[in-house]
Amino acid sequence: MTRFITIQPIRENSYSITIAENYEEICIRVAEQIARAVREKPNCVLGLATGSSPLGIYAELIRMYRDEGLDFSEATCFNLDEYYPLLPENPMSYHAYMKENLFDKINCRKWFLPDVSKSTDLEIERSCADYEERIQACGGIDLQLIGFGRSGHIGFNEPGSAPDSTTRLVKLHPMTRADAAPSFGGLPHVPTLAVTMGIKTILSARTLIAIAVGESKAEIVRKSLSDPISSLIPATYIRTHPNARIYLDPPAARLLCERQ
Ligand code: GLP
């Protein structure tokens, strides 16, 4: 498809930036990449994300399952994060989101989200370690999808998250909570905590696909791609991954072309 502009940076790691014509093009490109991974390795391990950005990708995967017989029966999926302590039956949980927007509509039976049912520190620590072990037991994540939070988070790794962090309980950034407030019916209803895969967990994936859509992401995309790599903006760590592909729509990429 010649409509895409791909920028191959010559410094840092071998990440690529694709500025697609629009959101639909991102969804088709990314869904194709996920479908290829599943076809080439039926028992592949996918890392999945939530938020509004992946919705079109999931819709395209559902279409491929329905119309093209894309078979997820041997694949395993691990989600990045979950609000603490929203149990699966809570309609605002990411578990409910994944069920409604993907897993109820394809034939994947092995899908997991971080466990947010535990209450003591020790139990939480143990269930986070179990999540990491389960990922390892499946052979590690082949392809991880992530979005950019406006705070600079990936998963729910907010500013200050260390590059060697693994799955753990975290406190949400005020900006993250404010962004989620409309869907929760107001800020007081937004959880203050979440369990998220760590930066190390995310960067251990063999392929990383990062997507950003819309004008509201332009500033954090610019910072993530040009500021020094540090835990102040966890999304800068994407640049250290050996095989990261970044997909942006034109509004999200807008500030990349401006001179600093
Ligand atoms: C939440 C998720 C992130 C996601 C972010 C962006 O905070 N935990 O994983 O990247 O939302 O969401 P959106 O795609 O709606 O902008």
Side-chain angles (χ1 to χ4, degrees), residues 11 21 107 120 136 141 143 145 147 167 171 218 222 236 248:
R11 286 171 295 127
E21 195 172 85
N107 65 340
T120 70
Q136 288 316 313
I141 295 172
L143 187 158
L145 180 63
T167 302
K171 198 170 167 216
R222 184 189 66 76
T236 57
L248 309 171

Side-chain angles (χ1 to χ4, degrees), residues 49-54 80-81 83 94 146-149 153-156 176 217:
T50 49
S52 53
S53 312
L80 281 170
D81 45 20
Y83 288 111
Y94 281 158
I146 57 170
F148 293 74
H153 74 214
I154 49 175
F156 271 139
T176 301
K217 298 292 170 73

